[in-house]
Amino acid sequence: MAAAAAGRARRGARLSAAALLALPALALLALPAGRGGGGGGDEGQPASLPPPPPPPPPPPFPLPPGLREELRQRRRDLRRLAAAGGGEAAAGGLGCGDLSLATGVSVLGWGFTKVVARAALAGGGAVALKSVHGAGREVRQCVLRYGAPAGCRRLAAYKLLKEVTLLQRLRHPGIVQLHGQCYDNSGDPEIRVTAMLELGSPLEMIQLLQTPWEERFKICLSLVKLLFYLAHSPLGSIVLLDFQPRQFVMVDGNLKVTDMDDASTEELSCKEDKDCTLDFPTKSFPLKCSAVGKCEGINEKKNLFNAYRYFFTYLLPHSAPPALRPFLGDILNATGDLRYGINETLKAFEKVLHLYKSGLYLQKRPLLLKDYISLKGFRTVEGEDYKCWPSYSHLGCLLSVHSAEEAAAICNSQSQCQSFIVTQRRTWTGRPLASFQSSLTDLIPDANAVVYIKRSTSSGERL
């Protein structure tokens, strides 16, 4: 099921009608076109994404002092983030008019703060809608503390506005794209805001573990590139405080972070080194206190160790090409001990990618293609055959190879394999896919193809 990510979203869950009505942001679907700061003038016309709004008029009743202070703090954070140098806010996008014309709204899941829905746009395509979860844990706990439901929903809305502001400023292939927002602050004590985002599908780690190593390496490399960007972003070094696989989605085969409301540009303040211990459940890392009173690199290192424990340890080593395993082991050891920073980690990943794409990792291996007969001008009919793992096809054994020579080595290592063909299909690295077969039945003419057959099993009757 396609899903846009919400922090801590529960996949496949459905809200009751009563709970859905309790979500004020989804009520914006009934607003007339153009209402609110994010709406355009004419129906269907893109509206500029507004800057963070000014403070609204005070509510008609006094809020508890503690809640007022929390609201002031979130407003200050939002203003500070909007005023930060570098990274201009993205212009253009969808607004309230587009939202009012959306159809087929269905809730995909929800978390502590937000609810996520899918909606079809009038002009075609679909988006993910993020809005405040009025019945979520954050609002409920706030109401228990302060007894002010409207003020508590407003507090949660500032968290969503912070996420929108970050998405406007941060543009990277590894960050989900903000298509627009609809903001309504017409004197109500609440803020009603809906963010319209790129639609993705949940990241399922169990499924990823069953994919070919090359695809898992792509996920990890994409994550490293994202963390490199966050470490050097226009807003400064950014840490993902709630860093877990559920904060990511897949969009057209690419990994993207979708939940940014818990991201922070602040680095921990300190007076001395002992103030800078980075703690995890199983490890602690002492860091240095800089001359400006900040823990050096703490945001970058926290992101990197989380990438190690949630992604690298599961996705990198299993079924990797044997010649690359020492390099991958070095990456795992250096990131697991935080001996590498993000710059060194990216260089190490790019080295592995170069070795893999160039075929240099295949050096000093015996040449086995001489043990095969090449039959030019033919290919095999695609169909069900013996299985291998991890295959790009559930019907048979389809693997990424650098060349016919590597395919011959793979065929030799599999007792069922009697022949193979290097197909025209390519992976994201540009490597071809080779199809391995247990028999030579159903050969058909193909001027661009070559079938390689083991000499030990070829015969005049077969050829």
Side-chain angles (χ1 to χ4, degrees):
M1 177 181 65
R8 299 163 293 272
R10 299 176 186 172
R11 272 64 163 187
R14 296 182 180 274
L15 291 180
S16 66
L20 189 58
L21 290 173
L23 302 173
L26 286 183
L28 285 170
L29 291 170
L31 289 175
R35 182 179 178 187
D42 298 325
E43 290 189 2
Q45 294 297 316
S48 296
L49 298 179
F61 53 89
L63 294 173
L67 180 54
R68 285 203 307 270
E69 178 56 34
E70 287 197 53
L71 285 166
R72 277 196 294 267
Q73 181 61 50
R74 289 201 180 177
R75 280 197 295 268
R76 282 196 298 268
D77 291 345
L78 191 59
R79 288 185 181 125
R80 178 184 52 77
L81 190 60
E88 294 183 2
L94 303 173
C96 293
D98 305 282
L99 184 60
S100 68
L101 298 174
T103 59
V105 179
S106 59
V107 174
L108 297 172
W110 65 89
F112 291 167
T113 307
K114 294 165 293 188
V115 65
V116 180
R118 183 189 190 279
L121 298 173
V127 292
L129 305 179
K130 272 191 183 183
S131 52
V132 171
H133 187 357
R137 183 182 298 182
E138 180 165 330
V139 172
R140 292 199 317 269
Q141 290 177 345
C142 175
V143 172
L144 287 174
R145 287 196 308 271
Y146 300 120
C152 288
R153 287 192 289 269
R154 184 180 191 80
L155 188 67
Y158 273 117
K159 202 169 183 180
L160 180 54
L161 284 171
K162 172 191 172 183
E163 183 170 20
V164 167
T165 303
L166 279 170
L167 292 175
Q168 287 174 334
R169 293 297 189 92
L170 302 175
R171 281 162 284 179
H172 184 269
I175 299 176
V176 73
Q177 185 178 352
L178 176 70
H179 289 317
Q181 65 162 305
C182 181
Y183 171 78
D184 176 46
N185 182 31
S186 52
D188 193 298
E190 299 181 30
I191 297 174
R192 295 188 179 117
V193 59
T194 300
M196 290 168 270
L197 306 170
E198 191 173 22
L199 190 66
S201 58
L203 184 69
E204 300 290 353
M205 293 298 287
I206 293 178
Q207 291 181 8
L208 277 180
L209 288 171
Q210 300 173 34
T211 60
W213 175 83
E214 187 173 327
E215 302 307 310
R216 287 182 272 120
F217 180 79
K218 177 186 178 183
I219 296 291
C220 293
L221 176 61
S222 299
L223 180 57
V224 170
K225 289 180 177 179
L226 169 64
L227 298 189
F228 180 85
Y229 173 79
L230 293 179
H232 306 285
S233 88
L235 302 178
S237 181
I238 295 175
V239 62
L240 302 176
L241 294 174
D242 190 17
F243 191 122
Q244 296 192 54
R246 63 183 175 225
Q247 310 298 345
F248 295 83
V249 293
M250 298 297 294
V251 180
D252 297 326
N254 297 303
L255 180 75
K256 299 193 179 215
V257 62
T258 186
D259 211 337
M260 297 287 290
D261 61 349
D262 286 317
S264 175
T265 59
E266 290 292 304
E267 292 203 291
L268 186 65
S269 298
C270 59
K271 293 183 178 179
E272 50 189 339
D273 290 350
K274 70 177 183 180
D275 299 328
C276 294
T277 301
L278 183 56
D279 290 317
F280 292 95
T282 59
K283 281 190 176 183
S284 295
F285 300 95
L287 303 179
K288 296 290 185 181
C289 182
S290 71
V292 296
K294 297 289 183 181
C295 296
E296 288 184 0
I298 192 167
N299 288 353
E300 171 188 329
K301 291 182 182 297
K302 187 168 187 176
N303 284 341
L304 187 56
F305 188 78
N306 279 327
Y308 159 79
R309 66 180 180 138
Y310 287 121
F311 286 86
F312 299 167
T313 55
Y314 298 106
L315 301 182
L316 271 185
H318 307 296
S319 70
L324 294 179
R325 289 173 190 169
F327 300 98
L328 298 174
D330 289 343
I331 290 175
L332 287 169
N333 291 332
T335 54
D337 294 335
L338 286 184
R339 288 184 286 107
Y340 279 180
I342 191 60
N343 294 0
E344 295 86 357
T345 302
L346 180 58
K347 288 179 182 177
F349 268 84
E350 288 176 336
K351 178 180 179 179
V352 171
L353 180 63
H354 171 68
L355 292 172
Y356 187 65
K357 290 177 67 174
S358 65
L360 291 174
Y361 71 100
L362 296 171
Q363 290 181 350
K364 300 180 181 179
R365 293 181 62 170
L367 300 179
L368 300 174
L369 195 59
K370 61 181 179 3
D371 297 329
Y372 287 77
I373 295 172
S374 61
L375 191 59
K376 298 181 179 180
F378 289 91
R379 64 177 174 84
T380 55
V381 176
E382 290 189 15
E384 191 166 356
D385 207 313
Y386 78 93
K387 312 296 191 299
C388 64
W389 185 86
S391 174
Y392 280 84
S393 170
H394 67 280
L395 295 176
C397 188
L398 187 67
L399 302 174
S400 168
V401 297
H402 175 260
S403 61
E405 186 64 56
E406 184 179 14
I410 293 173
C411 189
N412 270 26
S413 69
Q414 299 175 348
S415 59
Q416 305 101 312
C417 184
Q418 303 300 323
S419 65
F420 66 87
I421 180 173
V422 179
T423 73
Q424 300 298 310
R425 294 169 57 187
R426 302 274 170 171
T427 67
W428 66 275
T429 61
R431 288 162 54 103
L433 292 176
S435 177
F436 299 87
Q437 291 95 26
S438 58
S439 67
L440 289 176
T441 57
D442 300 324
L443 292 180
I444 58 176
D446 186 334
N448 298 316
V450 180
V451 176
Y452 295 90
I453 307 154
K454 277 184 179 177
R455 292 182 182 274
S456 58
T457 58
S458 62
S459 66
E461 291 129 359
R462 287 194 164 190
L463 300 179

